[in-house]
Amino acid sequence: MKKWRHIVTGLISLALLAMVAGLWIRMRADTQIGERLAKNNCDVCHDMTRSKKTEKGPYLWGIVGRPAGSVDYPYSGPFLNRIQETPLVWTEENLERFITNPTLFIPQVQMAQHTVEHPLAFEGMDSSANRRDLVAWLKTLR
């Protein structure tokens, strides 16, 4: 009976260790997941290549550390008003806050609005792990 208790205790300990290790590993940013998230959520409107095109939205190449509104692009009035009132740099923290809820960070920002001209609105990303992965990947665009 004692032998089985030691085996069960050992298995439970091993399972807990594996769970903690898995959580710790997932707490680190995963740029491969971030790239997929960017392609699924951002690529529709934002160029993420070295060519830096601004056809539908400002390009994202080099966004981390860049002052908001510094790309030659016709930004919306609410966005321009926000950055004129309080200049903003796209730090990792600001990007995470913006990606969480764009309209909470910049009220009436165009990319979060559903309109005929802009049917593919981005309303935010709930998962903190996904936001962390996305921002980590955006940092690689240098």
Side-chain angles (χ1 to χ4, degrees):
M1 187 71 166
K2 243 182 175 179
K3 182 179 178 182
W4 286 108
R5 189 177 298 163
H6 289 300
I7 292 172
V8 169
T9 302
L11 289 174
I12 290 172
S13 297
L14 187 60
L16 288 172
L17 181 63
M19 196 169 78
V20 169
L23 288 173
W24 183 80
I25 288 169
R26 186 59 192 120
M27 289 174 65
R28 295 186 328 210
D30 186 327
T31 55
Q32 289 180 336
I33 292 173
E35 182 177 14
R36 282 189 300 244
L37 289 164
K39 288 182 180 178
N40 290 335
N41 290 280
C42 312
D43 197 27
V44 173
C45 298
H46 297 279
D47 181 41
M48 296 180 286
T49 67
R50 291 178 192 267
S51 61
K52 302 177 182 177
K53 297 177 186 171
T54 57
E55 293 169 1
K56 294 181 184 177
Y59 60 84
L60 298 182
W61 190 267
I63 190 166
V64 179
R66 183 172 72 208
S70 60
V71 170
D72 185 20
Y73 177 77
Y75 294 97
S76 67
F79 182 87
L80 290 173
N81 291 339
R82 164 59 170 81
I83 64 171
Q84 286 170 354
E85 289 172 12
T86 309
L88 170 70
V89 173
W90 289 122
T91 62
E92 292 175 54
E93 296 79 19
N94 284 334
L95 282 166
E96 170 131 4
R97 288 177 55 211
F98 184 72
I99 294 166
T100 300
N101 187 332
T103 55
L104 188 61
F105 194 70
I106 301 176
Q108 300 175 337
V109 67
Q110 182 179 350
M111 73 179 256
Q113 305 301 314
H114 288 279
T115 63
V116 173
E117 302 83 26
H118 191 261
L120 300 173
F122 177 77
E123 296 172 344
M125 188 175 288
D126 293 332
S127 168
S128 61
N130 285 350
R131 292 191 306 269
R132 182 190 60 235
D133 294 341
L134 176 57
V135 171
W137 185 75
L138 289 172
K139 283 176 53 178
T140 69
L141 302 181
R142 294 263 171 223

